[in-house]
Amino acid sequence: MKDTEGYVTADGRQIGGVLMEMRDITLKFGGVVAINDISFDIREGEIRAIIGPNGAGKSSMLNIISGFYTPSVGEVWYKGSKRPPMKPYEVARQGVARTFQNIALFEGMTVLDNVMTGRLTHMHAGVFSQALWWGKARDEEMENREKVEKVIDFLEIQAIRKTPVGRLPYGLKKRVELARALAAEPSILLLDEPMAGMNVEEKEDMSRFILDVNDEFGTTIALIEHDMGVVMDLSDRVVVMDYGKKIGDGTPDEVRNNQDVIDAYLGVPH
Amino acid sequence: MLADIFINPFVDMFAAPDFLMQVLWEGLVSGILYALIALGFVLIFRSSRIFNFAQGIMVVFAALTLVGLHAYGVPAWISVALTLGVMFVLALTIERVVLRPLVGQPDIILFMATIGITLFLIGFGETIFGGENKVMISSELGIPTGDTVMEPFGGLLILQHLDITVVIVATLLVLALLAFLNYTQMGRAIRALGDDHQAALSVGISLQTIWVLVWFIAGIIALVTGIAWGARAGVSFALEVIAYKALPVLMLGGLESITGAIVGGLMIGMLEKLFEIYWGQPLLGGNTETWFAFVLALIVLLFRPQGLFGEKIIERV
Ligand SMILES: Nc1ncnc2c1ncn2[C@@H]1O[C@H](COP(=O)(O)OP(=O)(O)OP(=O)(O)O)[C@@H](O)[C@H]1O
Ligand SMILES: [Mg+2]
């Protein structure tokens, strides 16, 4: 597959060229090699899963993509050019939104305010016009409110708009976190175990939302997930990691039949 | 003796409600200033985990700059605008020269850095404006003098026009800050950063921008309190003490709570006045205002270590 060429998925969706590419990424923490020379790409419009046993380095990979970690070796390419070292907030402003494995919300703020922070990447009015509630700042606030209300409707959390996030149950928090990321209208959405700790019904809801987001807005999604069933249902292509190495990459079917992957998941000793 | 503590003060309050109102009013005037200063502390602490030791000297520095500029012949209101400019440059400089290089250092190092800022501002202020006492340019700023006498309950209540002005301006500033924090994107960013650093970064919040902003807000607060307190007590390095009055407010209200700072400030302002007049002067020979707030805060902390309004402690990753 060429970088600029797309492909058609099993369910007939057209996937575009390469949006994000990880080239020869290695990440070390002192003596620990969390990621060992991994390359893969994420294409426009696809749902790309990263799977692997605990400690495989999945979250670390997501942290590199979102700028929270800087790789020891390797390059990140985004929208066709090599990305210089960047702070997380700069990456966010380039259209990369994310959620966290251990939910990172603003607990003291309402659901609405949390989702509104998702619009910060689209802020143009200066501090002073905001302080004085001047023309441009005011228009922007209105526009942000409209977009945020749409996201809130989309994820069906209207009923809790004014509730402080700290009071919500776990499953809803996960959904609010997704809402905040979506409000940024990202080019790529990174989800670190969006369904961890959920019951079956909540998982079904979340799966549906992820598919709908991809379908309605064409958002490219990279997600980490442990539940194999979910991964196979949702994703177009899967990267499999184990002990920091990439041991498989392909469609769910290809990956499922890959002997290394089967071994890793059955816990065959290395 | 027990009667003096538990009965007589309340009898006195009921016997002369007009005087009680007078005491509460005066407590309110100080209280709202304590609240403002505490708010400055809280905003900086929430967004950077820094306990800003320099808040007090910023009050002095702002007042000195204002009076100093005016002494050089700059018209009063232009001096105010220029002083705001100076406070903004100060915020920029502190972020660039002190905070940014120290990011990630232990909290105590950052605290020490604010002591450094304090010492620098003392030296710098003295060199440029001189160390001697100065008079606040109250009348040039149009702050009214005189008083209004009222007769509630057939008694007497005297409201200094200066105090009325202070209460109005400080209240407006508090309300404006609350509106800014709650209804603008920048305000949400400040609150967000206080709640969760990682999440804040992930939505595109730049630490540096917020730091400059909260230090500038602290600078604005310093100027307003400097004018208000300076108009009553003169402009000197002693003005610093008003910031130390914010400490018990913070102990009471919690270092992270915006509501706590406001309510705590008002409570301490009024309670310390009440205590001084009804218990301190008759029983302890007066001058209790210097320590009462601290004792009160310590007692509260014994029962609620997170303060009255302390928010849940959020674990950081
Ligand atoms: N900030 C860090 N400092 C030191 N070591 C780290 C750090 N982050 C991750 N690691 C190490 O890197 C390795 C990979 O961790 P990572 O969190 O990426 O795994 P994971 O695949 O997401 O696991 P899980 O499924 O449990 O979430 C682990 O050995 C972990 O201890
Ligand atoms: Mg993980």
Side-chain angles (χ1 to χ4, degrees):
Chain A
M1 216 173 356
K2 288 212 195 96
D3 278 6
T4 48
E5 258 172 25
Y7 68 98
V8 178
T9 61
D11 57 345
R13 282 158 39 251
Q14 176 65 48
I15 300 299
V18 171
L19 178 65
M20 174 86 68
E21 189 183 355
M22 315 303 287
R23 287 193 191 165
D24 314 315
I25 301 284
T26 295
L27 176 69
K28 293 181 189 152
F29 294 107
V32 180
V33 184
I35 297 176
N36 192 348
D37 195 20
I38 289 188
S39 303
F40 68 95
D41 61 19
I42 303 168
R43 284 165 179 270
E44 201 114 26
E46 93 182 322
I47 301 184
R48 187 76 149 119
I50 303 176
I51 65 170
N54 288 104
K58 307 179 295 294
S59 296
S60 300
M61 186 58 88
L62 218 63
N63 282 333
I64 290 178
I65 301 179
S66 57
F68 279 80
Y69 291 166
T70 311
S72 320
V73 183
E75 299 171 354
V76 178
W77 286 66
Y78 181 54
K79 294 187 174 168
S81 48
K82 185 177 156 186
R83 195 172 78 186
M86 275 187 182
K87 301 223 171 81
Y89 79 88
E90 294 170 313
V91 175
R93 289 178 190 184
Q94 290 205 331
V96 180
R98 68 167 294 175
T99 65
F100 294 83
Q101 186 166 351
N102 313 304
I103 307 183
L105 283 167
F106 310 120
E107 300 264 324
M109 294 163 59
T110 62
V111 168
L112 181 61
D113 276 348
N114 266 273
V115 183
M116 278 297 275
T117 63
R119 299 292 304 164
L120 278 164
T121 43
H122 295 263
M123 184 172 61
H124 303 292
V127 180
F128 293 103
S129 64
Q130 289 192 42
L132 301 171
W133 198 245
W134 255 336
K136 192 174 176 189
R138 197 156 134 194
D139 296 346
E140 240 177 58
E141 179 82 6
M142 297 298 171
E143 192 190 317
N144 286 335
R145 272 299 288 271
E146 251 170 59
K147 298 224 154 118
V148 161
E149 294 298 346
K150 276 190 196 141
V151 172
I152 286 178
D153 286 348
F154 186 80
L155 292 179
E156 298 164 17
I157 45 177
Q158 305 92 330
I160 50 166
R161 291 165 73 250
K162 298 279 180 185
T163 313
V165 160
R167 290 203 206 130
L168 296 177
Y170 183 83
L172 276 179
K173 281 188 184 173
K174 282 262 182 200
R175 208 187 287 184
V176 174
E177 211 192 8
L178 175 62
R180 183 182 65 194
L182 268 188
E185 300 177 284
S187 305
I188 181 167
L189 179 60
L190 312 172
L191 307 173
D192 196 344
E193 304 202 13
M195 283 163 255
M198 288 186 165
N199 62 34
V200 176
E201 195 186 331
E202 288 171 328
K203 277 189 186 178
E204 277 170 4
D205 281 345
M206 187 54 94
S207 301
R208 179 166 55 85
F209 287 132
I210 292 172
L211 287 172
D212 284 352
V213 167
N214 174 259
D215 197 42
E216 288 210 15
F217 311 117
T219 311
T220 306
I221 298 173
L223 66 94
I224 295 175
E225 189 48 58
H226 271 294
D227 187 322
M228 285 301 267
V230 170
V231 171
M232 297 301 159
D233 283 350
L234 279 183
S235 51
D236 301 313
R237 288 192 300 152
V238 185
V239 176
V240 191
M241 294 177 67
D242 189 24
Y243 287 100
K245 294 208 182 78
K246 183 168 103 171
I247 57 169
D249 190 350
T251 63
D253 277 333
E254 287 165 3
V255 161
R256 198 174 2 221
N257 298 317
N258 177 327
Q259 192 56 45
D260 290 337
V261 176
I262 295 168
D263 290 349
Y265 269 87
L266 293 179
V268 170
H270 294 257
Chain B
M1 178 67 197
L2 281 178
D4 284 340
I5 297 176
F6 294 107
I7 301 173
N8 296 349
F10 298 102
V11 173
D12 290 347
M13 286 182 204
F14 277 103
D18 58 322
F19 185 61
L20 176 63
M21 283 175 73
Q22 185 77 48
V23 172
L24 288 175
W25 164 253
E26 275 162 25
L28 176 74
V29 178
S30 328
I32 187 107
L33 292 178
Y34 299 164
L36 254 184
I37 293 269
L39 210 51
F41 272 108
V42 167
L43 287 180
I44 288 182
F45 186 80
R46 279 177 57 98
S47 42
S48 56
R49 304 282 111 187
I50 293 177
F51 188 86
N52 179 20
F53 188 76
Q55 181 76 57
I57 203 66
M58 282 168 71
V59 175
V60 179
F61 187 74
L64 273 181
T65 308
L66 174 65
V67 174
L69 283 170
H70 188 66
Y72 284 120
V74 183
W77 283 103
I78 297 184
S79 303
V80 170
L82 287 179
T83 307
L84 283 176
V86 169
M87 298 318 277
F88 184 67
V89 172
L90 181 68
L92 274 179
T93 313
I94 288 175
E95 190 279 315
R96 187 71 196 83
V97 180
V98 183
L99 305 181
R100 204 183 296 181
L102 291 181
V103 74
Q105 297 286 331
D107 294 353
I108 187 71
I109 302 282
L110 289 159
F111 173 68
M112 309 256 251
T114 67
I115 297 182
I117 296 171
T118 306
L119 296 176
F120 170 77
L121 286 180
I122 291 176
F124 191 65
E126 266 186 21
T127 312
I128 297 193
F129 303 111
E132 73 284 0
N133 289 6
K134 297 180 182 59
V135 179
M136 179 44 70
I137 50 171
S138 314
S139 55
E140 292 86 339
L141 289 172
I143 299 175
T145 48
D147 48 48
T148 296
V149 178
M150 296 204 273
E151 297 176 0
F153 308 105
L156 195 64
L157 176 61
I158 303 168
L159 305 180
Q160 300 287 335
H161 290 170
L162 166 64
D163 289 350
I164 297 177
T165 314
V166 167
V167 169
I168 291 174
V169 172
T171 307
L172 287 179
L173 184 54
V174 169
L175 292 178
L177 269 175
L178 287 179
F180 177 70
L181 289 171
N182 284 298
Y183 303 114
T184 69
Q185 282 294 76
M186 267 295 171
R188 287 185 195 103
I190 292 178
R191 283 188 297 145
L193 188 59
D195 266 9
D196 192 311
H197 263 235
Q198 280 212 10
L201 292 175
S202 83
V203 294
I205 295 173
S206 140
L207 294 179
Q208 274 96 26
T209 309
I210 302 297
W211 285 345
V212 171
L213 195 56
V214 292
W215 280 79
F216 180 48
I217 292 174
I220 297 173
I221 289 174
L223 177 59
V224 172
T225 41
I227 294 173
W229 214 257
R232 309 163 120 200
V235 178
S236 71
F237 281 88
L239 269 185
E240 229 189 333
V241 294
I242 186 178
Y244 303 131
K245 273 303 174 69
L247 298 183
V249 173
L250 295 170
M251 289 159 72
L252 204 63
L255 269 170
E256 299 208 37
S257 170
I258 290 164
T259 324
I262 297 170
V263 180
L266 294 176
M267 267 179 62
I268 286 205
M270 297 208 253
L271 287 178
E272 72 175 11
K273 252 306 187 284
L274 274 181
F275 185 82
E276 166 72 10
I277 300 294
Y278 290 98
W279 286 271
Q281 285 179 5
L283 300 175
L284 301 163
N287 237 341
T288 60
E289 279 161 293
T290 48
W291 54 261
F292 171 77
F294 285 94
V295 173
L296 178 70
L298 283 174
I299 293 171
V300 169
L301 284 188
L302 279 182
F303 297 99
R304 277 185 65 89
Q306 75 275 41
L308 281 183
F309 306 88
E311 286 165 12
K312 202 185 75 182
I313 291 151
I314 298 156
E315 198 177 321
R316 262 151 235 284
V317 194

